[in-house]
Amino acid sequence: MPAARFVEQLNAQIGNELAAHNQYLACAVYYDAETMPQMAAFFYGQALEEREHAMMMVQYLLDTDSRVTIPGVDAPVPTFDDVVAPVALALEQERRVTEQINALLRTAREEFDFASEQFMQWFIKEQVEEVATMSDLLAVVRRNADDIDDIEDYVAREQSAEGADPTAPRAAGA
């Protein structure tokens, strides 16, 4: 059974992942309203990915006979000043999630909770990818803020579907 401190923090992280889901939905809706279908699709996909991360955490807690608490979340930022703002917010969010994931791993180590430490390893790898993706996208969006067709072309070219990661933890409800 995972350490009690880890379980408490993982339940809080479920809320963080669901909040990230909602924020990405708000970003997607913004881009949809701006008639940027590639950016909208990218952020809708990111939203689903964040929800899946939350469900992976739920499944881990269920698998280890731990208490699962689905926390409430704050409303996302609903409006943006320009096409750059949602991506800048997304990068900031991914950096914050990276810190949260690192804190979970640190707690697992401090508690000698080896199973939970192993569970968190996949999320560490995932966050490296997420920060890199958002950092690159932000550079492109800033450089092409006045040419949304270039932004759309980049996303269509670079952000193709990767397929399922066979090393990913199982998600509840999947």
Side-chain angles (χ1 to χ4, degrees):
M1 184 159 197
R5 210 173 78 165
F6 180 82
V7 169
E8 181 181 329
Q9 289 178 343
L10 192 60
N11 274 301
Q13 189 61 32
I14 291 167
N16 295 336
E17 300 292 332
L18 293 173
H21 168 266
N22 289 347
Q23 187 59 66
Y24 282 147
L25 277 179
C27 294
V29 168
Y30 168 80
Y31 287 119
D32 236 350
E34 292 295 313
T35 319
M36 295 178 72
Q38 296 297 325
M39 287 291 281
F42 172 75
F43 276 100
Y44 283 127
Q46 289 297 118
L48 291 174
E49 194 172 288
E50 297 303 330
R51 181 192 177 281
E52 184 172 43
H53 293 169
M55 299 311 290
M56 289 171 178
M57 293 172 183
V58 166
Q59 188 63 54
Y60 178 74
L61 292 173
L62 291 171
D63 286 347
T64 58
D65 293 327
S66 300
R67 177 184 51 83
V68 178
T69 305
I70 306 298
V73 298
D74 293 334
V77 174
T79 58
F80 303 97
D81 293 334
D82 57 31
V83 298
V84 176
V87 183
L89 179 65
L91 177 57
E92 179 183 308
Q93 177 175 276
E94 290 299 346
R95 287 180 174 153
R96 186 171 50 254
V97 169
T98 297
E99 291 172 10
Q100 294 162 348
I101 295 297
N102 288 342
L104 276 160
L105 181 67
R106 190 170 25 262
T107 296
R109 282 188 178 170
E110 289 169 358
E111 297 290 332
F112 302 104
D113 182 353
F114 304 115
S116 295
E117 181 177 342
Q118 187 277 329
F119 171 71
M120 294 309 302
Q121 292 298 322
W122 183 86
F123 291 95
I124 297 289
K125 174 186 71 85
E126 179 70 7
Q127 283 310 119
V128 170
E129 294 171 11
E130 294 295 328
V131 170
T133 297
M134 287 303 171
S135 184
D136 290 350
L137 184 57
L138 182 58
V140 169
V141 172
R142 280 185 173 147
R143 187 171 50 245
N144 296 292
D146 294 328
D147 189 348
I148 62 170
D149 289 335
D150 278 353
I151 296 169
E152 289 285 280
D153 288 345
Y154 171 81
V155 174
R157 184 179 65 249
E158 299 295 324
Q159 303 303 322
S160 61
E162 295 176 2
D165 179 351
T167 66
R170 195 166 53 108

